[in-house]
Amino acid sequence: MKSRITLVFALLFCAFGLELHAQSRLKMELYGGPQLMYQRSADQVRNPPNYHLGINWLYGVKEDFQVVLQAESTRANFNYDWYPTFPSTNPAYKAFYYDSFGNFRLGLRKSWEKGSKAFFIQPNVGITVNNFFDFSVADSTSFFMASKESRIVGNLGVEAGVKFYTGRRNYITLGIRHQSGLNSLNPAEVSWGIPQQSRILVERSGTYTGLFVGYGIDFKGRTREERADAKLEKLDQKTVRRERAWGDGMYLSIAGALRFRPKSERVPNLEFSHISGAYQYGIGYTMGHFSLESGYGRMVAFNHIRIPEAVVQTQRGYTVEAIPLRLRYHRNLGDKNRLRVGASFAANYTLATRGLTNIGQGGGNGNGFTVYQINSTPLEQTSKGKVFFNAGLFGELPVFNSGMVTFNFSRNFGSPAVGRENISGMIYGSPVNQELTGTLDGWIMEVGYKIPIGRFFR
């Protein structure tokens, strides 16, 4: 009898496997992501996002239609204020409530394939299950009884997303999903005090909206011929992406930088205090050996006041916003598009100075003697609408066959006065009252990344 059962299972497995290999109808997806569950309460509760995780089994009924069986776990939660000495509201603590629902759905997916990507939309119908403990009071002072209960309600939903195929038949999914519960689940109930002094009720139906990212597995492997064709196609795509990255057209860029101010601005015993940061987002267009780009950037600046044998920075740092307009000239070295070098010149239009605040600080010599005691007060900013310049050299290297890592070494010059503030107080027992300003000048070391926009539309 045992051998017969084993034989039956073996035959079913072979038949099932042969069908999968021949038709590639069965796929599996694992997914997860953030979600926001819609909950109702007459009490003051906060409803932060949480997560959902699940698995899909897909069976193809037609080339572009699939039946989908889904199972997932969805985390529900809310925050509330807990008063352990109620009715007194002091002390008050933030408390957390967590619960998990199971969603089981049947869906029909319609797909539109386009090369290495596909768009899909999928309506669903299913049930939401919540297992919970129902507490009933048997003794009002010390004893509780609980029974395990389940609540099941129907749900309807819809989701849409994009598939990005990998080198095999597998793929990555990105999408959005909304589910609506058709009835109320058991309410979440929180109470404290014996006898009960306060109670919070939160109504839920399993309704939520979520984003997801997933990975799909196709159980049919590629033939030797398909693998060979895919390898050639991959080489062709690599060449095309390299040409697009280095050719004419629009591109996006992002860069971070370090600015080196004069070492005279270094704080004693703080080796790198004359170095500050910057970043920039940009969009540009390349034509031949030239490119023109603009965007948005921010630079960190400091003010400093000289006192004998020391430099005092009166702020932890403030930022100056600017719009750059940069012209680049470049040459490609070699015939394989592996290195590009060039020169650049930029004009920067300042927008605003942010982060200046009233601040007081002091310092001594370690023997109880006060070297300085000063206060800084921001003044009306006059740096908006000014122009300063940047010039330097750059190099670019290909990465991922679709973009370029950029290295820029340049210098800011012609900076306006930024970060105006009034300094008042005492230095070595003598009164001081003066106006300080910062500067954006200095050497710049910058690393960034560029990617052609055309890659997303071809």
Side-chain angles (χ1 to χ4, degrees), residues 35-37 39 46-50 75-79 96:
Q35 56 84 14
L36 179 64
M37 185 162 290
Q39 305 178 94
R46 295 170 291 275
N47 185 33
N50 215 299
R75 191 76 176 267
N77 65 308
F78 59 85
N79 303 339
F96 305 88

Side-chain angles (χ1 to χ4, degrees), residues 59-178:
Y59 184 80
V61 293
K62 286 187 177 181
E63 184 176 353
D64 53 354
F65 279 98
Q66 294 168 302
V67 174
V68 185
L69 182 63
Q70 296 182 327
E72 74 174 17
S73 175
T74 306
R75 191 76 176 267
N77 65 308
F78 59 85
N79 303 339
Y80 60 95
D81 293 324
W82 176 49
Y83 310 107
T85 59
F86 187 86
S88 172
T89 58
N90 187 21
Y93 302 97
K94 180 185 288 188
F96 305 88
Y97 179 94
Y98 295 97
D99 205 353
S100 294
F101 301 151
N103 292 313
F104 304 93
R105 296 183 287 256
L106 184 66
L108 182 63
R109 178 177 294 185
K110 165 66 175 175
S111 300
W112 291 268
E113 304 283 339
K114 186 176 181 181
S116 61
K117 297 183 287 294
F119 173 78
F120 66 86
I121 188 167
Q122 176 183 318
N124 303 304
V125 60
I127 59 173
T128 297
V129 180
N130 184 29
N131 297 318
F132 63 98
F133 287 97
D134 184 22
F135 289 89
S136 59
V137 179
D139 188 311
S140 63
T141 60
S142 62
F143 186 65
F144 287 86
M145 294 183 62
S147 60
K148 190 174 182 179
E149 304 287 344
S150 295
R151 184 67 184 267
I152 300 175
V153 300
N155 64 60
L156 295 174
V158 65
E159 59 191 75
V162 181
K163 297 193 296 186
F164 300 91
Y165 289 100
T166 62
R168 302 180 178 180
R169 294 179 182 271
N170 301 338
Y171 52 89
I172 296 172
T173 60
L174 295 174
I176 184 171
R177 172 185 296 113
H178 179 78

